[in-house]
Amino acid sequence: MKKRVISLTMAAVLAASVFAGCGAGGQKEAVTVYVDAAASLKTSIEEIIPLFNKANPNVTISLNTGSSGTLLTQIEESEGIDHDVFFSAGAKQVDTLDEKDNLMLEGTRVDLLSNQLCLVKPKGGETAVAGWENLEDAKNMALCDGTVPVGKYTRNALVSLGYLPESEDNSAYTSEEVSAALGGVEINECADVTAAAQSVAEKSNEIGTIYYSDYYDFTDNLEIIAQDDGTLTGPIIYPVCQVINSKASEAQTAAAKKFAEFLRSDEALKVFEKHCFIINK
């Protein structure tokens, strides 16, 4: 069963009690909008939800975060039911939702944010790794698998650097294959980018790859060894879209649209910028 972090302001609690069961009299219906967002977006969206609730106290945002690949699987397995907004850390997952699953609400996709891949070490930690070019000098490394966007982009970087040969799908390289390409560096395969950042911050791993936005949450515990501007990885795009939720009421769908639009507001974009995301103009 999915665990969700639910943001419910006191105003929303009052609204729920007032509006529950009310259909007439022009009252707005209290609804819950289910939002699936990449782990790297968690802190930002948790900050944005109260801003949204100021003008929309009758809408409860139920936030589910994790790797974008895992979130896509959850949406697919439920055929979109109880999923209203999908904010991915990779274009591939939204492409699949649209082209293969037919679960993206047409016309709602916006490639809202961009990010950058960073190579990090524990703050004050010792490593022989000076940059992307000598990763093989590490004893161990925190790395997400290829189904997680940050893991995919890391593999793209390894291809660009010549550690791995170009393939039809670079994300398919296993952690074992990455380890062999780096001369036997031990790989700690992490479930998502937050887990990778935590592993390095806690000094469980000598180095790791994360997004620049994740560094924002770990500035006291991490140091950036190298940062890629997209030359190695290609563009790191964060698309957001509405999901076709066949069990959603009209009010719920309308509220999901309102929240997706709020994510593009100046107020929300300032939060994303503060958390080191790049806004796509």
Side-chain angles (χ1 to χ4, degrees):
M1 180 177 291
K2 296 179 295 182
K3 293 183 178 179
R4 290 186 177 271
V5 178
I6 300 178
S7 171
L8 185 58
T9 63
M10 182 59 69
V13 174
L14 294 173
S17 62
V18 171
F19 296 136
C22 295
Q27 298 284 8
K28 291 183 179 179
E29 181 182 346
V31 295
T32 297
V33 170
Y34 298 96
V35 177
D36 296 282
S40 53
L41 290 161
K42 183 176 186 290
T43 307
S44 298
I45 294 182
E46 285 179 339
E47 191 171 327
I48 288 169
I49 288 171
L51 302 178
F52 173 77
N53 281 143
K54 286 180 182 178
N56 302 277
N58 60 314
V59 180
T60 299
I61 302 298
S62 177
L63 178 62
N64 177 41
T65 60
S67 79
S68 299
T70 299
L71 297 176
L72 174 63
T73 299
Q74 291 172 356
I75 296 170
E76 290 174 324
E77 289 178 347
S78 66
E79 297 182 339
I81 295 172
D82 287 341
H83 300 274
D84 297 304
V85 176
F86 182 31
F87 204 160
S88 173
K92 178 180 178 181
Q93 288 74 19
V94 174
D95 290 343
T96 300
L97 189 74
D98 180 22
E99 298 165 10
K100 176 178 173 286
D101 303 322
N102 296 314
L103 286 173
M104 188 189 86
L105 191 61
E106 186 176 357
T108 63
R109 173 176 175 162
V110 176
D111 292 343
L112 186 60
L113 306 174
S114 293
N115 217 327
Q116 294 182 342
L117 187 71
C118 289
L119 178 65
V120 295
K121 68 174 184 175
K123 196 153 197 173
E126 295 185 3
T127 180
V129 177
W132 299 111
E133 291 75 17
N134 71 319
L135 295 172
E136 68 276 9
D137 290 336
K139 294 182 178 64
N140 55 68
M141 177 180 186
L143 175 70
C144 296
D145 73 40
T147 65
V148 182
V150 72
K152 170 196 167 184
Y153 291 119
T154 301
R155 286 158 174 77
N156 285 350
L158 293 174
V159 168
S160 297
L161 291 162
Y163 287 111
L164 291 168
E166 180 76 48
S167 74
E168 187 176 335
D169 181 8
N170 294 335
S171 67
Y173 280 115
T174 65
S175 293
E176 291 74 18
E177 289 172 321
V178 171
S179 175
L182 295 177
V185 173
E186 180 184 341
I187 301 295
N188 173 22
E189 189 172 286
C190 300
D192 56 45
V193 68
T194 303
Q198 287 175 334
S199 184
V200 180
E202 294 166 358
K203 301 184 178 179
S204 298
N205 289 112
E206 182 180 332
I207 62 170
T209 53
I210 65 171
Y211 291 128
Y212 183 50
S213 61
D214 292 282
Y215 174 68
Y216 175 90
D217 294 320
F218 292 90
T219 52
D220 292 338
N221 304 103
L222 293 177
E223 289 182 30
I224 295 175
I225 301 172
Q227 185 170 344
D228 177 54
D229 62 2
T231 301
L232 299 177
T233 62
I236 298 178
I237 303 298
Y238 279 59
V240 60
C241 69
Q242 279 184 252
V243 180
I244 297 174
N245 181 354
S246 61
K247 294 296 180 70
S249 65
E250 288 185 14
Q252 183 175 336
T253 300
K257 179 175 184 288
K258 190 174 289 187
F259 183 71
E261 289 175 344
F262 187 80
L263 291 173
R264 310 197 298 270
S265 69
D266 289 342
E267 197 172 5
L269 293 179
K270 286 178 183 177
V271 175
F272 289 127
E273 283 187 308
K274 184 180 76 171
H275 287 262
C276 303
F277 285 99
I278 300 164
I279 308 302
N280 294 332
K281 303 299 183 183

